[in-house]
Amino acid sequence: AVCSMGNSTSRLYSVLAKTLSSGAVSQHQDCLEQLDSARLDPLDPKDLLEECQIVLQKRPPRFQRNFVNLKKNTASNHRPIRVMQWNILAQALGEGKDNFVQCPMEALKWEERKCLILEEILAYKPDILCLQEVDHYFDTFEPLLSRLGYQCTFFPKPWSPCLDVERNNGPDGCAMFFLKERFELINSANIRLTAMKLKTNQVAIAQTLKCHETGRLFCIAVTHLKARTGWERFRSAQGCDLLQNLKNITQGAKIPLIVCGDFNAEPTEEVYREFSNSSLNLNSAYKLLSPDGQSEPPYTTWKIRPSGECRHTLDYIWYSQHALNVNSALGLLTEEQIGPNRLPSFNYPSDHLSLVCDFSFNQDPDRLL
């Protein structure tokens, strides 16, 4: 079903409503992959935002989050690269499996929730967008974001839990989007992560991009590691496999690296230490928001399930600290903003908070590790 987008004089004639209907993916994925997005008319983000706001007019307004300036006195003549990391919550899981006991089902309706997700993306205007739990790639995100000028890549999980849900929209997976006006794709790798030499259900995308403005190469990766308590060693093995792949792709850190992901791991876990201590010389960008620059945020996800309240730090943006500077990072929602029923809600579409950072290249490109 397509929800009303307001009156018939809408300039876009409901561009959101024109995205392909649910269920189209599994039946027509081969056709979808042949669609040439370049032939579609470009879309003005202001028009899309206006369409979203018409759909969302009965919902509370978006929460205001402010960027925290982290820039040390390093002058840069170039525009920063804005990177957004977000587990958007797969629609099939939100409605069918996750049991958010304090979240009304009405708040999870896809026709409205997709507009909340798009509104969040449009508000921060990332140059690179890294998403997890995407199960509406072909019928929503690829058609719309490609028209906004993004090059789009999707890698589904081999055995997505979404497929167990009745009336699902196909498998969920990781997706990456970058603005073609800012970057050129040099290399792209879809990685199925292994653990203990076994192929797993978790995936990553790693792309080497060339920045048009600076001529510099860098690698951006997105991943989503295995969930659940008791799988710590498994996540550790997946992290090791991902790091090894990234070492090969970046030629041992010669190419700067940014890794976005829902690691499903608190900072106390082994996989976090592996990334912290890697020879790739990675740092976690959101640590820089803490007073000492050494502590992760108190939470990046906060929800209530039948088993109780879960408040965890699981989402990260890692970066090559020898080659990149973090100019600013988007502050998190406060406990007061999140509210007593936690996430998701009528105000916020996912159980995970989006993370957004502005990066610039170190001005001394020869200074490595």
Side-chain angles (χ1 to χ4, degrees):
V2 170
C3 85
S4 168
M5 298 294 298
N7 63 47
S8 60
T9 60
S10 167
R11 276 172 297 167
L12 291 177
Y13 192 58
S14 305
V15 72
L16 287 166
K18 286 183 180 177
T19 55
L20 297 168
S21 62
S22 294
V25 176
S26 54
Q27 297 169 37
H28 305 296
Q29 188 158 327
D30 53 341
C31 301
L32 286 164
E33 286 169 349
Q34 292 168 24
L35 289 176
D36 185 357
S37 301
R39 292 184 193 168
L40 296 173
D41 293 334
L43 189 54
D44 186 327
K46 290 179 185 172
D47 291 339
L48 181 55
L49 183 59
E50 192 177 287
E51 292 264 336
C52 289
Q53 288 168 343
I54 291 168
V55 175
L56 298 172
Q57 56 194 344
K58 292 183 181 174
R59 292 212 180 198
R62 276 187 71 254
F63 291 125
Q64 288 306 303
R65 296 167 65 186
N66 297 318
F67 280 90
V68 179
N69 185 14
L70 302 166
K71 197 169 181 181
K72 297 167 187 164
N73 300 317
T74 51
S76 173
N77 303 322
H78 303 293
R79 273 191 301 162
I81 296 169
R82 177 162 290 182
V83 176
M84 184 173 188
Q85 147 60 31
W86 199 12
N87 178 332
I88 60 171
L89 173 62
Q91 184 64 21
L93 301 184
E95 286 187 307
K97 279 201 164 196
D98 277 342
N99 295 318
F100 301 116
V101 293
Q102 297 293 93
C103 178
M105 285 303 288
E106 186 76 8
L108 295 171
K109 280 172 55 179
W110 177 243
E111 293 305 330
E112 292 182 12
R113 199 172 77 84
K114 74 177 178 185
C115 291
L116 277 179
I117 295 169
L118 290 165
E119 187 183 42
E120 180 94 345
I121 294 166
L122 291 164
Y124 300 122
K125 303 175 184 150
D127 299 304
I128 302 171
L129 173 63
C130 294
L131 301 180
Q132 299 87 34
E133 290 200 21
V134 179
D135 62 347
H136 276 269
Y137 175 82
F138 291 105
D139 64 356
T140 300
F141 294 105
E142 195 277 340
L144 290 173
L145 292 176
S146 64
R147 293 179 65 189
L148 293 174
Y150 289 92
Q151 184 153 326
C152 313
T153 306
F154 176 61
F155 191 23
K157 294 174 185 168
W159 315 299
S160 166
C162 293
L163 299 176
D164 298 334
V165 178
E166 195 176 347
R167 295 191 301 277
N168 66 74
N169 198 60
D172 77 303
C174 291
M176 186 182 292
F177 309 84
F178 68 83
L179 285 177
K180 291 185 283 187
E181 69 171 22
R182 293 212 65 187
F183 312 108
E184 176 190 350
L185 180 63
I186 303 300
N187 181 57
S188 186
N190 286 355
I191 302 163
R192 185 173 171 187
L193 298 175
T194 63
M196 298 86 168
K197 299 186 178 176
L198 298 173
K199 290 183 177 178
T200 73
N201 194 33
Q202 280 64 46
V203 299
I205 303 167
Q207 297 192 329
T208 303
L209 305 181
K210 182 178 183 179
C211 177
H212 291 317
E213 198 175 351
T214 63
R216 301 279 296 273
L217 293 179
F218 67 100
C219 177
I220 178 87
V222 58
T223 195
H224 187 187
L225 302 188
K226 172 69 183 165
R228 308 264 186 271
T229 305
W231 292 83
E232 292 80 6
R233 285 186 61 204
F234 197 84
R235 279 191 288 276
S236 172
Q238 288 183 326
C240 284
D241 182 48
L242 179 57
L243 284 167
Q244 188 54 56
N245 274 280
L246 294 174
K247 283 173 190 171
N248 295 337
I249 291 168
T250 63
Q251 300 163 32
K254 286 181 183 171
I255 298 172
L257 173 64
I258 299 169
V259 186
C260 295
D262 174 357
F263 279 60
N264 275 307
E266 290 272 11
T268 51
E269 268 197 41
E270 182 63 32
V271 68
Y272 182 93
R273 290 193 291 275
E274 286 163 2
F275 270 72
S276 294
N277 300 327
S278 161
S279 62
L280 293 172
N281 196 22
L282 299 173
N283 193 20
S284 173
Y286 264 72
K287 279 166 50 176
L288 301 178
L289 287 181
S290 65
D292 62 357
Q294 299 299 314
S295 307
E296 292 289 351
Y299 51 84
T300 62
T301 179
W302 201 341
K303 56 204 141 199
I304 301 174
R305 285 180 166 148
S307 55
E309 194 161 340
C310 313
R311 190 184 92 147
H312 299 292
T313 300
L314 307 176
D315 307 270
Y316 306 96
I317 300 178
W318 297 92
Y319 69 101
S320 299
Q321 55 188 340
H322 60 279
L324 296 165
N325 301 306
V326 184
N327 297 359
S328 61
L330 182 64
L332 301 174
L333 289 177
T334 64
E335 180 175 359
E336 184 182 14
Q337 286 175 313
I338 289 171
N341 294 332
R342 308 316 183 199
L343 303 173
S345 66
F346 282 109
N347 301 74
Y348 199 78
S350 176
D351 53 327
H352 289 252
L353 298 178
S354 62
L355 308 182
V356 186
C357 289
D358 290 336
F359 290 97
S360 59
F361 289 103
N362 190 309
Q363 293 307 296
D364 182 3
D366 295 322
R367 180 175 157 250
L368 279 173
L369 301 177

Short mmCIF file of all heavy atoms in Angstrom, two decimals, residues 12 19-20 50 54 80 88 109 124 139 145 147 160 165-166 179 187 205 209 240 293-294 318 336 341 364:
data_model
loop_
_atom_site.label_atom_id
_atom_site.label_comp_id
_atom_site.label_asym_id
_atom_site.label_seq_id
_atom_site.Cartn_x
_atom_site.Cartn_y
_atom_site.Cartn_z
N LEU A 12 6.69 16.93 -6.91
CA LEU A 12 7.29 15.65 -7.33
C LEU A 12 6.24 14.59 -7.63
O LEU A 12 6.57 13.48 -8.00
CB LEU A 12 8.21 15.13 -6.22
CG LEU A 12 9.46 15.96 -6.01
CD1 LEU A 12 10.25 15.38 -4.86
CD2 LEU A 12 10.30 15.95 -7.25
N THR A 19 8.40 4.75 -5.39
CA THR A 19 9.37 3.68 -5.21
C THR A 19 8.63 2.36 -5.28
O THR A 19 7.45 2.27 -4.94
CB THR A 19 10.11 3.82 -3.86
OG1 THR A 19 9.15 3.89 -2.82
CG2 THR A 19 10.98 5.06 -3.85
N LEU A 20 9.31 1.33 -5.71
CA LEU A 20 8.65 0.07 -6.03
C LEU A 20 7.95 -0.52 -4.82
O LEU A 20 8.38 -0.39 -3.70
CB LEU A 20 9.69 -0.93 -6.56
CG LEU A 20 10.34 -0.48 -7.87
CD1 LEU A 20 11.55 -1.35 -8.15
CD2 LEU A 20 9.36 -0.56 -9.01
N GLU A 50 10.84 17.80 1.69
CA GLU A 50 9.48 18.34 1.79
C GLU A 50 8.45 17.21 1.72
O GLU A 50 7.48 17.20 2.48
CB GLU A 50 9.27 19.33 0.64
CG GLU A 50 8.03 20.18 0.76
CD GLU A 50 7.96 21.18 -0.39
OE1 GLU A 50 8.74 22.16 -0.38
OE2 GLU A 50 7.15 20.96 -1.31
N ILE A 54 5.74 16.09 4.71
CA ILE A 54 4.29 15.96 4.52
C ILE A 54 3.80 14.66 5.15
O ILE A 54 2.80 14.62 5.86
CB ILE A 54 3.92 16.04 3.02
CG1 ILE A 54 4.18 17.45 2.48
CG2 ILE A 54 2.46 15.64 2.80
CD1 ILE A 54 4.12 17.54 0.96
N PRO A 80 35.74 19.17 4.19
CA PRO A 80 35.83 17.89 4.89
C PRO A 80 34.96 16.83 4.21
O PRO A 80 34.08 17.15 3.41
CB PRO A 80 35.32 18.21 6.30
CG PRO A 80 34.50 19.44 6.15
CD PRO A 80 35.08 20.21 4.99
N ILE A 88 19.95 1.08 10.56
CA ILE A 88 18.64 1.72 10.44
C ILE A 88 17.49 0.84 10.93
O ILE A 88 16.35 1.31 10.95
CB ILE A 88 18.37 2.15 8.98
CG1 ILE A 88 18.40 0.96 8.03
CG2 ILE A 88 19.36 3.23 8.55
CD1 ILE A 88 17.93 1.30 6.61
N LYS A 109 5.40 1.59 11.17
CA LYS A 109 4.86 1.52 9.81
C LYS A 109 5.91 2.00 8.81
O LYS A 109 6.44 3.11 8.94
CB LYS A 109 3.62 2.42 9.69
CG LYS A 109 2.36 1.82 10.23
CD LYS A 109 1.23 2.86 10.26
CE LYS A 109 1.01 3.50 8.90
NZ LYS A 109 -0.12 4.49 8.96
N TYR A 124 21.70 15.61 7.53
CA TYR A 124 23.15 15.66 7.75
C TYR A 124 23.94 15.65 6.45
O TYR A 124 25.15 15.89 6.46
CB TYR A 124 23.57 14.53 8.69
CG TYR A 124 22.89 14.64 10.03
CD1 TYR A 124 22.09 13.61 10.52
CD2 TYR A 124 23.00 15.81 10.77
CE1 TYR A 124 21.43 13.73 11.74
CE2 TYR A 124 22.34 15.94 11.99
CZ TYR A 124 21.56 14.90 12.46
OH TYR A 124 20.91 15.04 13.66
N ASP A 139 13.90 -1.11 -3.39
CA ASP A 139 12.63 -0.40 -3.60
C ASP A 139 12.60 0.98 -2.95
O ASP A 139 11.64 1.72 -3.14
CB ASP A 139 11.44 -1.24 -3.13
CG ASP A 139 11.46 -1.50 -1.63
OD1 ASP A 139 12.42 -1.09 -0.96
OD2 ASP A 139 10.50 -2.12 -1.12
N LEU A 145 18.35 7.47 -3.49
CA LEU A 145 19.68 8.04 -3.27
C LEU A 145 20.48 8.14 -4.56
O LEU A 145 21.30 9.06 -4.72
CB LEU A 145 20.43 7.24 -2.21
CG LEU A 145 19.84 7.35 -0.79
CD1 LEU A 145 20.58 6.45 0.19
CD2 LEU A 145 19.85 8.78 -0.29
N ARG A 147 19.26 9.06 -7.30
CA ARG A 147 18.77 10.30 -7.91
C ARG A 147 19.29 11.54 -7.17
O ARG A 147 19.21 12.65 -7.69
CB ARG A 147 17.24 10.30 -7.96
CG ARG A 147 16.69 9.25 -8.91
CD ARG A 147 15.19 9.24 -8.91
NE ARG A 147 14.65 10.50 -9.44
CZ ARG A 147 13.36 10.81 -9.39
NH1 ARG A 147 12.48 9.97 -8.85
NH2 ARG A 147 12.94 11.97 -9.87
N SER A 160 19.78 -14.15 5.72
CA SER A 160 19.24 -13.04 6.51
C SER A 160 18.07 -13.51 7.38
O SER A 160 17.17 -14.20 6.90
CB SER A 160 18.75 -11.94 5.58
OG SER A 160 17.95 -11.01 6.27
N VAL A 165 10.67 -13.93 8.41
CA VAL A 165 9.49 -13.14 8.76
C VAL A 165 8.49 -13.17 7.62
O VAL A 165 8.85 -12.97 6.45
CB VAL A 165 9.90 -11.67 9.08
CG1 VAL A 165 8.66 -10.83 9.40
CG2 VAL A 165 10.89 -11.64 10.24
N GLU A 166 7.23 -13.43 7.96
CA GLU A 166 6.18 -13.46 6.94
C GLU A 166 6.07 -12.08 6.27
O GLU A 166 6.23 -11.05 6.91
CB GLU A 166 4.85 -13.82 7.62
CG GLU A 166 3.77 -14.24 6.66
CD GLU A 166 2.49 -14.68 7.37
OE1 GLU A 166 2.54 -14.88 8.60
OE2 GLU A 166 1.47 -14.79 6.68
N LEU A 179 28.85 10.15 -2.82
CA LEU A 179 28.51 11.16 -3.82
C LEU A 179 29.48 11.11 -4.99
O LEU A 179 30.69 11.29 -4.83
CB LEU A 179 28.53 12.56 -3.19
CG LEU A 179 27.35 12.91 -2.28
CD1 LEU A 179 27.56 14.29 -1.68
CD2 LEU A 179 26.02 12.85 -3.04
N ASN A 187 38.15 0.86 -6.55
CA ASN A 187 38.06 -0.58 -6.33
C ASN A 187 36.94 -0.85 -5.34
O ASN A 187 36.71 -0.07 -4.41
CB ASN A 187 39.39 -1.11 -5.76
CG ASN A 187 39.34 -2.61 -5.54
OD1 ASN A 187 39.07 -3.37 -6.46
ND2 ASN A 187 39.56 -3.03 -4.31
N ILE A 205 31.48 -4.39 3.09
CA ILE A 205 31.81 -3.80 1.79
C ILE A 205 33.00 -2.88 2.02
O ILE A 205 33.01 -2.13 3.01
CB ILE A 205 30.64 -2.96 1.23
CG1 ILE A 205 29.37 -3.79 1.09
CG2 ILE A 205 31.02 -2.32 -0.11
CD1 ILE A 205 28.12 -2.95 0.83
N LEU A 209 38.26 4.82 -2.76
CA LEU A 209 37.76 5.99 -3.48
C LEU A 209 38.89 6.98 -3.71
O LEU A 209 39.84 7.05 -2.92
CB LEU A 209 36.65 6.68 -2.68
CG LEU A 209 35.45 5.83 -2.26
CD1 LEU A 209 34.45 6.69 -1.50
CD2 LEU A 209 34.78 5.17 -3.47
N CYS A 240 39.12 -10.12 13.11
CA CYS A 240 40.46 -10.45 12.60
C CYS A 240 40.43 -10.64 11.09
O CYS A 240 41.33 -10.19 10.37
CB CYS A 240 40.98 -11.71 13.27
SG CYS A 240 41.54 -11.45 14.96
N GLY A 293 39.25 12.14 25.70
CA GLY A 293 39.49 11.59 24.37
C GLY A 293 39.77 10.10 24.37
O GLY A 293 40.21 9.55 23.36
N GLN A 294 39.48 9.44 25.50
CA GLN A 294 39.82 8.02 25.63
C GLN A 294 38.62 7.11 25.87
O GLN A 294 38.76 5.90 25.91
CB GLN A 294 40.81 7.83 26.80
CG GLN A 294 42.12 8.57 26.64
CD GLN A 294 42.88 8.10 25.41
OE1 GLN A 294 43.01 6.91 25.17
NE2 GLN A 294 43.36 9.05 24.60
N TRP A 318 35.79 3.94 12.89
CA TRP A 318 37.24 3.85 13.07
C TRP A 318 37.91 4.60 11.92
O TRP A 318 37.39 4.63 10.81
CB TRP A 318 37.69 2.40 13.05
CG TRP A 318 37.13 1.57 14.17
CD1 TRP A 318 35.98 0.83 14.15
CD2 TRP A 318 37.70 1.37 15.46
NE1 TRP A 318 35.81 0.20 15.36
CE2 TRP A 318 36.85 0.51 16.18
CE3 TRP A 318 38.86 1.84 16.09
CZ2 TRP A 318 37.10 0.12 17.48
CZ3 TRP A 318 39.12 1.45 17.39
CH2 TRP A 318 38.25 0.60 18.07
N GLU A 336 17.01 12.36 28.00
CA GLU A 336 15.74 13.10 28.01
C GLU A 336 15.09 13.10 26.64
O GLU A 336 13.89 12.90 26.50
CB GLU A 336 15.98 14.54 28.48
CG GLU A 336 14.70 15.35 28.61
CD GLU A 336 14.97 16.79 29.03
OE1 GLU A 336 16.14 17.23 28.97
OE2 GLU A 336 14.01 17.46 29.41
N ASN A 341 10.40 5.43 26.99
CA ASN A 341 10.09 4.22 26.22
C ASN A 341 11.23 3.79 25.32
O ASN A 341 11.15 2.78 24.64
CB ASN A 341 8.81 4.42 25.40
CG ASN A 341 7.60 4.59 26.28
OD1 ASN A 341 7.57 4.06 27.40
ND2 ASN A 341 6.61 5.31 25.81
N ASP A 364 50.27 16.27 5.82
CA ASP A 364 51.57 15.67 5.49
C ASP A 364 51.33 14.24 4.99
O ASP A 364 51.36 13.29 5.75
CB ASP A 364 52.47 15.66 6.74
CG ASP A 364 53.84 15.09 6.45
OD1 ASP A 364 54.12 14.76 5.28
OD2 ASP A 364 54.65 14.97 7.38
#
